[in-house]
Amino acid sequence: MPPDLPAFAIALSVVGAATTEAAFFNLELLKYASIPVIAGVVGWATNWAAIELTFRPLRFVGIRPIFGWQGIIPAKAGRMATIFVDSTMIKLGTLPELFRRMEPERIAEHVVDMMAPRMERFTNEIMFRENEAVWRATPEPLRRLVYRRLEKGLPDLVDSLMEEVTERIEELVDFKHMVVTRLENDRALLNRLFLEAGDAEFRFIVRSGLYFGFLFGLVQLLVWIVYPAAWVLPVFGAIVGFATNWIALNIIFRPLHPTRVGPYVLQGLFLKRQTEVASTWCRLVTREIVSVRQVIQAMIDGPNAALTRELIDRHMQPLVDRALAGLELPAELSVGTEGLNAIRGRVGEKSVEVSSKPFDDWSFNRDRSALVERLLRQRMIEMPPEDFQGLLRPCFQEDEWKLILVGAALGLAAGMAQLVFVFGGG
């Protein structure tokens, strides 16, 4: 028998109304539940953006001077490199001390080992360039004698040269200029100094944005329930974007010294990793920035290059004179005194030109770097927290207000979007 249609319609409408009310209740519940979730996402996103904007892009992207961005560290490469030298490198060791740690006597042996087999080729390059006719006319036994004299005198020459270089290294190399120039020219390497030292801390900053943002969101939820004014969501969004970054930074660097709070000992996360950071950071510095190759290259190409060239030439000339003994008369008859002096000068130039070639050997550089690395690592482990924090802290102190404003702006925008699209404009 068919049901009573009016009664059925009434029952159906009651069920429909109850279902609609339940759906509406569930939808409202989801809206409220979205507040702390979105706050957590905002905290994560603003902290992630802060890290990205600190280091990237390496070059300015956009339309100068206003519309665009360059990572804060790369944009101030010179200043950051200078801070790096003044706040950290100078406190770990002086250039003379680091160069002696590289064992100059071993460096001299390596130079001889690498250069001796090439003396004949270098000599021919010089002589054929300056006066090919004279050199071709020189009897083969006499040319062989010149090669042997140069090769035989090379060890004493390199030893005496390296001894003087060691004594005068601060005159020959502007240590600060060497490091700053290296980092200015390689902004990716400058970024690595901070990113590799603070890898765990940067990951914590991003993750903590989610945690702290969610906690702020719970407070935001309570305020919204009690007082659902249109300004609450945008303002709290801005607060989340600002505060999550600030809290994370303080947890990383504070307290400076181990501090007991009840059963717990608290210290900044970065400071607790001092031994681990020292190992990673010193390996990078000694292999990429203060390697024997970088020091030699700075002697040849740096601000005091003229002094280096004079030093090499002065040590080289006695050996050249001994090697050319017996050739003076035919050479002078052919090219004259000026021509012979030109040959001597070209020897000095060639010596400077090839002086860095022995240090293209990566394995040798790595071995020398390992000696310096051990020294720097031990000293960094022993650094007081006040000095050690200077390794990472500067990358947050430069234009930190910009990052805070960006975070607040992103949080504000997220709060407004939540107000409009989730709550329909409040």
Side-chain angles (χ1 to χ4, degrees), residues 156-377:
D156 289 339
L157 162 69
V158 174
D159 285 344
S160 63
L161 178 60
M162 192 57 63
E163 184 177 338
E164 186 168 354
V165 165
T166 304
E167 292 300 319
R168 301 178 59 188
I169 189 68
E170 285 188 301
E171 297 177 56
L172 301 172
V173 177
D174 185 329
F175 185 55
K176 188 170 184 176
H177 179 273
M178 179 189 80
V179 175
V180 170
T181 301
R182 175 83 174 99
L183 295 175
E184 275 189 307
N185 292 338
D186 191 344
R187 288 175 168 81
L189 176 59
L190 178 62
N191 275 355
R192 286 176 60 199
L193 274 178
F194 296 109
L195 288 170
E196 293 191 16
D199 176 63
E201 286 66 39
F202 292 124
R203 284 188 279 110
F204 168 79
I205 288 174
V206 175
R207 288 198 309 268
S208 68
L210 181 65
Y211 311 144
F212 295 133
F214 184 82
L215 293 176
F216 276 113
L218 294 177
V219 177
Q220 181 182 6
L221 172 61
L222 294 176
V223 174
W224 179 254
I225 292 173
V226 175
Y227 188 72
W231 59 267
V232 170
L233 294 178
V235 168
F236 264 86
I239 291 173
V240 168
F242 168 88
T244 52
N245 201 330
W246 183 86
I247 291 174
L249 290 179
N250 276 276
I251 291 177
I252 287 172
F253 295 109
R254 297 290 182 274
L256 270 178
H257 298 273
T259 303
R260 181 169 291 280
V261 179
Y264 303 102
V265 177
L266 304 180
Q267 188 179 19
L269 297 181
F270 181 65
L271 303 166
K272 288 171 66 174
R273 290 199 316 117
Q274 189 160 344
T275 300
E276 179 184 345
V277 171
S279 179
T280 302
W281 187 87
C282 291
R283 184 177 299 109
L284 174 62
V285 168
T286 54
R287 295 189 181 187
E288 301 280 352
I289 301 172
V290 194
S291 67
V292 63
R293 189 183 193 287
Q294 292 297 329
V295 173
I296 299 300
Q297 201 65 51
M299 287 175 52
I300 298 168
D301 298 330
N304 303 328
L307 187 59
T308 301
R309 291 170 185 269
E310 181 275 326
L311 180 66
I312 292 175
D313 188 63
R314 176 162 48 81
H315 280 266
M316 195 71 194
Q317 287 311 314
L319 175 59
V320 173
D321 291 339
R322 287 195 298 272
L324 294 180
L327 287 180
E328 294 94 335
L329 183 57
E332 287 190 6
L333 290 175
S334 176
V335 299
T337 303
E338 290 185 5
L340 191 59
N341 289 336
I343 292 174
R344 290 190 175 98
R346 179 57 187 156
V347 171
E349 292 173 13
K350 187 67 176 180
S351 300
V352 173
E353 180 185 321
V354 303
S355 56
S356 65
K357 292 188 180 299
F359 306 103
D360 291 337
D361 182 345
W362 168 243
S363 62
F364 179 77
N365 276 279
R366 183 190 58 210
D367 291 343
R368 298 305 95 200
S369 295
L371 300 174
V372 180
E373 180 188 339
R374 286 196 287 271
L375 173 67
L376 296 188
R377 183 172 63 241

